[in-house]
Structures are given as structure tokens and as C-alpha cells.
Amino acid sequence: MRVDAVPETQPFEGFTPWPADFAERYREAGYWLGETFGEWLHARAERFGDRIALVGEKRRLSYRELDARASQLAAGFLGLGIRPRDRVVVQLPNVVEFFEVCFALFRLGALPVLALPAHRRSEISYFCQFTEAVAYVIADKDGGFDYRTLAAEIRAEAPTVKHVLVAGEPGAFTALERLYGESAALPETMPGDVAFFQLSGGSTGVPKLIPRTHDDYLYSVRASAEICALDADSVYLAALPAAHNFTLSSPGSLGVLDAGGRVVLSRRPSPDEAFLWIEKERVTVTSVVPPLCAVWLEAARNTRHDLSSLRLLQVGGSKLSAEVARRVRGTFGCTLQQVFGMAEGLVNYTRFDDPEDVIIETQGRPISRDDEVRVVDDDDRDVEVGEVGHLLTRGPYTIRGYYKATAHNEKAFTRDGFYRTGDLVRRTPSGHLVVEGRAKDQINRGGEKIAAEEIENHVLAHPAVRDAALVAMPDAFLGERSCVFVVAREQPPAAREVTAFLRARGLASYKIPDRIEFIDDLPKTSVGKVDKKALRRWIADKIAPKGQ
Ligand code: OOB
């Protein structure tokens, strides 16, 4: 079978490339090496051969085996008719197959859309339809949920999805295992081309897709591995979902594979499972979100597991309180690293040689000398060091546009290509960033992002609802939870009923509002917009412990 490569010059519809002068600069500076993921994995297999790359619940895979399995699976995908640039929605838990599938698709030049295990019908159906995905890859079951039931619904809603491929028992679908064939001649992929899609936390009505290229992503991986001093003795525990940008590349699984180390895949982030792995595999580095950090700290006080191998605990995804940060070294006997990143690109790390107060109180500084960071006021004018403003950024691994989102891109990016992160930050004289808040209409529920408008649209679909506004309310454990203010048409429905309605629409659980407040009318600002500040204040007051 002959399959033609997609020529590099052929533009990929819906993808905004870096301007030619920037691309040239990034290549000259040695950031973009012109290497694809397929080549990168092959080079690792040559170099690290029989060393163990991946450790899962059921399987251990060497570098050589991973490389071979990826090629065999790529051949299987090709046999199904999957072609370069075809989109494939991948929704897998932390299992070895996640990496086999991604690398197989990379090798083929087909594009994984990295969904999270928590996503449900609403999200997956949208990803499949929006990207016109040809296939959907799932596990049979995870955490008591049967993904094959979800897949059946997706098939009915997204006619482009020709194949459902299952890691485990396939049921009515195709077993992934059956696809590993003889290696076949594969089309050439281009390093400047899109390699896969990450998902944006978002602030708009529908989730946004983030196209990442081989060149730009591999740069962020290599540079992150270097900052974190990873080497062939590093053992990384993927405790958070493997598909998330933090776990995948900051430096995450890919950073550890870059260095020849070992990636250990934990199905759950809970201390009972994670600590077992840390002891058993002598894990040296892992990454958590702040609420999980607090849970681990508590559990570590009287664990029977030996956690002494841990050298580095990374915390990111939402703001870490200084109080929790201070307890890390004493409890785990390891270094804390704060990580402030985003799937769109920019990642900041505190460095090992930063003074203790910088590690405790800041969210780090950018990876690259060529990460351009601006902190600006509402009129895009730069503010002074130490003042709070909007964070804008562009650089060698920050996207220039969301996938197929021309109108939105005009708002989300400046005319000269800076990404408007929606984060409010302050820069210290040392160039570190401190996250002070958020201007985007999003709730950060312990690292899980909820776009207010997306949920409001779902609530508005309820026949008894006239108006709705979702805001964050403070929460001691998660940092924030979500509260929806609902204006009913006539008789307000029971809160329970609204929640059931949202679940039935197939929303991921973490997006279901934690609280529902019925209100006669939404407060408006002088220009007639919903006054979310007032709503946030109102709910914060209402739930504050009495006497404060
Ligand atoms: C990571 O990526 P996303 O895409 O899920 O979320 C990005 C947003 C940031 O814009 C910011 O609002 C928030 O999450 N965030 C933080 C933070 N890290 C992320 N807010 C305060 N402190 C932090 N340390 O969350 C992500 C991607 C790569 C590495 C780490 C996190």
C-alpha cells in the first residue's frame, strides 16, 4: 500500500503557524531541532534499548519494545484506513497503551486529540464532531465507568467516527490488541506540522483545541527535562491523568523518556496507590495539583510506605498556598518545585537554586530565554515590576492560535501574536511570576478548569431556567468550587433536578456546579453585563464561617 506524505508546504487548515522570521529564529537558536516524535522515540530506543521505559499495572515495556509496538500499531492504524492528519480522539487512563497509541499516531502523522478520562458525552461528542475525528480510542472500563457505553452514544452522534478501538475487552468494538501488525512503510511526517491537540481549560461556550507541533512540543520537553535535571536514573510517577500537559511534558512522562528514565503509571492519584508505587519503583519525581499535595502531606505523616526515594515534588495547575508549600520539604524530605503552565504553551518553574522564599512564594519563571512575557493593564500598556496586570506571552512553544477558531483568536491573541493567558500576575525583580488572580471567566477547581459560559449554556437549556451565571466560590480544600446562580422562569426547579439534568446532558462530573442559588434577577454592571464580581462576593459572604 502506498501512502503519500503530506508535503510540508501544504498548509494545515485551521492551524496558525509561527511567522517565518520567528520560526527561523527558533531554529537558529537550537530550540526547534527538526525532529518528529517518531524519530525522537526511535533515537531513544537506539540509545536506551532494553532499559525500562514504561511501568503499568499489568505491563513493563523497554524503550526498544515501545518503539517496536508503536510501529506495529501504526501499521494497524494504517490498515484501518487512518491517514496522515486524520484526527483520533484518545481517551485513556494511565495505562501503557496511552503511549503506544500516541506514538503510533505520531509515527503515522495522524493527530491524537487528548481527551481526559473525566470527559463524558458532551465533551467527547464535541471533540469528535468539531475535529471530524475518524476514530475514538478508549479503555474498556476505568474507575467503575464503562467507556464502551459512552462510545456507543458517540457513534450515534458523530458519524465521522468509523472506528472505536478498545484497550481491554472490546465488547461490540475493535480490540486495540488486534491491530498490532507487521511494521509497514509509513508516510513521512514533518517536524513543523501539528503533532496532536491538547485541550484548553477555556472560558468560552465550547472547549478550544490547541494544536502542538513536533518541533515546539519537543523543545518544551527537552528544556523542561534539563531544568529538572532528569537523567537515566529518574523515575517519574504519573499520578495525574497522563494526557494532561503537566503530566505529559512539564517535564512529565515525555521529559523522563527524553532522559532515558522510567515512567510509572498510577491508575489513581490517591496516596494509597501512589505511595505504593513510590516505594516499589523507587520513584524520584512526581507532579501533583495543590489539593492532592495537601492530601499526600496528610497521608505521609503516618504512612507505612518508604517514600525516601522522592527527590522532587512538583506542584502546579492552580495556586499553591505558602502554608502547604512550606510543609513539603519537612514531610517528604524532598525539593518542592512550583509549576505554572498552560496547555497553550508557556511553562514556568521555580529552579533548584532559587532561594527558599522564591520557591515557596512564587510560581517560577519561564523555561526559555525566548519566552516573551508582558504584564499589562486593561489597555495593553506594560505595568511596572511588582504591579499586578494581565499576563501576555509568545515564544518558541506557545501557540499562535487555537485550531479552527478565527473569530475567537482575534480576542485571545494580540495582533503581534501574544497569547492572552487570562491570568493576573505580578513580576518580581528577579523575573519570577506570582499568580494573583484571573481575568478569564473560568473556575479553577483544584486544577480542573471549568469554562463558565460552557456550563451556563447547559443550564440555560433547562426549560424552567430563564438566566444563569456560574462563578467561583472559595473552598479551603480545592481553592475554588463552582456556584451557579439561576433565575427561574416561574417556579424554581429543585436543585437536585437541575443537577440531574446536567448529568443527563453528559457533562464531566467536575463541571457539575457544586452549589445552586436561585435568585430573582442577575445583578448587572453599568454597561449591562452580568456583575460576576458581585455574585462572587455575595456567595463568599454567605458561605463564610460566622463571626469572620
Ligand atoms: C496547567 O494547564 P491548563 O491548561 O490546565 O491550565 C492553565 C491555567 C493557567 O492559565 C492558570 O490559570 C492555571 O491554569 N495555573 C495556575 C498554576 N498552574 C496553572 N495558577 C496558579 N498557580 C499555578 N502554579 O494547569 C498546567 C500545564 C502545564 C504545567 C502545569 C500546569
Side-chain angles (χ1 to χ4, degrees):
M1 185 183 326
R2 218 179 83 88
V3 180
D4 292 323
V6 180
E8 191 167 22
T9 46
Q10 187 178 311
F12 182 38
E13 202 200 322
F15 167 60
T16 316
W18 283 262
D21 49 336
F22 281 86
E24 197 181 311
R25 207 168 91 203
Y26 298 151
R27 280 191 204 101
E28 263 169 23
Y31 303 145
W32 294 0
L33 296 183
E35 188 180 34
T36 63
F37 271 105
E39 292 160 350
W40 175 85
L41 178 63
H42 197 61
R44 310 258 96 43
E46 299 264 281
R47 202 159 132 211
F48 303 117
D50 293 329
R51 290 183 68 96
I52 296 296
L54 297 172
V55 178
E57 218 167 39
K58 298 190 191 125
R59 291 199 286 148
R60 298 166 88 81
L61 226 56
S62 71
Y63 279 84
R64 217 192 301 283
E65 287 167 327
L66 175 60
D67 185 46
R69 299 269 296 173
S71 291
Q72 290 159 5
L73 188 54
F77 286 153
L78 194 59
L80 284 181
I82 299 176
R83 291 290 175 268
R85 292 186 176 180
D86 277 351
R87 274 76 62 199
V88 175
V89 174
V90 176
Q91 186 182 30
L92 288 170
N94 291 5
V95 290
V96 166
E97 286 88 341
F98 171 76
F99 293 91
E100 294 180 343
V101 167
C102 286
F103 282 115
L105 292 170
F106 292 157
R107 207 152 255 176
L108 189 57
L111 312 179
V113 178
L114 297 184
L116 297 173
H119 287 139
R120 291 295 177 261
R121 196 184 73 235
S122 167
E123 292 90 9
I124 301 293
S125 177
Y126 174 76
F127 301 147
C128 288
Q129 292 182 47
F130 183 74
T131 67
E132 300 169 78
V134 299
Y136 174 36
V137 185
I138 54 172
D140 47 8
K141 283 183 181 176
D142 184 53
F145 182 75
D146 193 329
Y147 286 88
R148 293 162 301 189
T149 315
L150 175 57
E153 295 171 347
I154 297 302
R155 277 295 288 271
E157 289 179 12
T160 58
V161 176
K162 297 273 181 300
H163 310 281
V164 173
L165 309 169
V166 186
E169 283 300 316
F173 304 109
T174 308
L176 201 58
E177 194 50 48
R178 280 190 32 208
L179 295 180
Y180 294 80
E182 293 292 311
S183 296
L186 295 170
E188 205 184 335
T189 48
M190 299 295 171
D193 213 346
V194 176
F196 68 103
F197 294 95
Q198 279 280 3
L199 305 176
S200 160
S203 55
T204 53
V206 288
K208 294 280 174 291
L209 282 103
I210 298 168
R212 302 290 304 251
T213 65
H214 299 263
D215 263 337
D216 93 76
Y217 210 66
L218 278 172
Y219 166 56
S220 76
V221 165
R222 268 193 321 270
S224 296
E226 196 179 318
I227 288 167
C228 297
L230 299 183
D231 59 24
D233 293 326
S234 299
V235 182
Y236 175 70
L237 181 74
L240 299 172
H244 190 271
N245 201 52
F246 189 10
T247 323
L248 192 59
S249 68
S250 307
S253 308
L254 294 179
V256 172
L257 295 179
D258 186 68
R262 174 184 306 184
V263 176
V264 178
L265 298 162
S266 182
R267 291 291 284 256
R268 314 266 147 254
S270 61
D272 25 321
E273 192 163 334
F275 288 5
L276 200 78
W277 278 121
I278 293 175
E279 177 176 66
K280 190 159 159 237
E281 295 292 329
R282 306 293 296 155
V283 168
T284 61
V285 47
T286 188
S287 43
V288 294
V289 287
L292 189 59
C293 181
V295 170
W296 280 23
L297 282 167
E298 231 12 73
R301 283 163 35 145
N302 46 23
T303 182
R304 56 193 165 81
H305 294 296
D306 175 7
L307 308 177
S308 63
S309 56
L310 207 56
R311 298 268 165 281
L312 177 64
L313 182 68
Q314 301 181 291
V315 187
S318 65
K319 179 89 180 244
L320 177 66
S321 74
E323 298 81 74
V324 175
R326 268 192 209 98
R327 291 167 50 202
V328 168
R329 189 183 290 281
T331 307
F332 289 108
C334 74
T335 306
L336 163 73
Q337 181 178 54
Q338 295 214 39
V339 187
F340 163 38
M342 50 208 74
E344 285 82 356
L346 182 71
V347 180
N348 302 275
Y349 296 102
T350 55
R351 305 301 204 267
F352 296 156
D353 56 1
D354 279 339
E356 191 71 9
D357 61 319
V358 168
I359 293 179
I360 301 286
E361 279 156 32
T362 82
Q363 279 66 59
R365 60 181 172 83
I367 289 179
S368 178
R369 250 180 294 122
D370 279 284
D371 279 321
E372 299 173 68
V373 162
R374 290 182 62 198
V375 184
V376 302
D377 65 16
D378 290 344
D379 299 315
D380 282 354
R381 284 181 305 232
D382 294 278
V383 302
E384 297 292 319
V385 167
E387 275 180 38
V388 177
H390 303 275
L391 171 64
L392 311 184
T393 186
R394 68 179 181 189
Y397 60 98
T398 297
I399 56 162
R400 293 297 187 119
Y402 291 105
Y403 178 52
K404 289 201 289 191
T406 318
H408 179 65
N409 283 341
E410 275 175 33
K411 285 183 262 163
F413 295 82
T414 65
R415 296 179 79 166
D416 53 356
F418 280 82
Y419 166 55
R420 297 184 186 276
T421 66
D423 292 315
L424 296 174
V425 303
R426 167 167 67 79
R427 206 173 356 191
T428 69
S430 59
H432 290 77
L433 299 175
V434 178
V435 179
E436 296 284 7
R438 199 168 50 233
K440 55 189 164 191
D441 201 0
Q442 184 186 77
I443 290 99
N444 188 334
R445 196 176 181 277
E448 292 186 303
K449 316 302 185 313
I450 306 167
E453 192 185 332
E454 182 188 342
I455 309 311
E456 288 159 4
N457 287 341
H458 282 286
V459 178
L460 283 167
H462 190 291
V465 172
R466 182 155 60 84
D467 216 348
L470 189 81
V471 298
M473 54 183 184
D475 182 77
F477 177 55
L478 290 176
E480 294 175 6
R481 284 184 196 263
S482 64
C483 172
V484 67
F485 286 88
V486 172
V487 181
R489 288 191 190 281
E490 284 163 17
Q491 196 58 29
R496 245 193 352 267
E497 204 257 300
V498 176
T499 304
F501 173 79
L502 294 175
R503 281 194 199 285
R505 288 178 71 81
L507 271 182
S509 283
Y510 68 86
K511 295 184 185 174
I512 306 286
D514 292 294
R515 187 178 179 116
I516 302 181
E517 289 284 336
F518 293 96
I519 190 169
D520 290 339
D521 243 321
L522 297 177
K524 300 280 161 55
T525 64
S526 53
V527 293
K529 291 213 288 191
V530 175
D531 190 349
K532 290 205 165 178
K533 241 189 210 159
L535 291 173
R536 276 192 291 266
R537 239 186 349 251
W538 189 88
I539 190 65
D541 278 350
K542 182 164 177 184
I543 63 174
K546 295 280 171 290
Q548 286 197 350

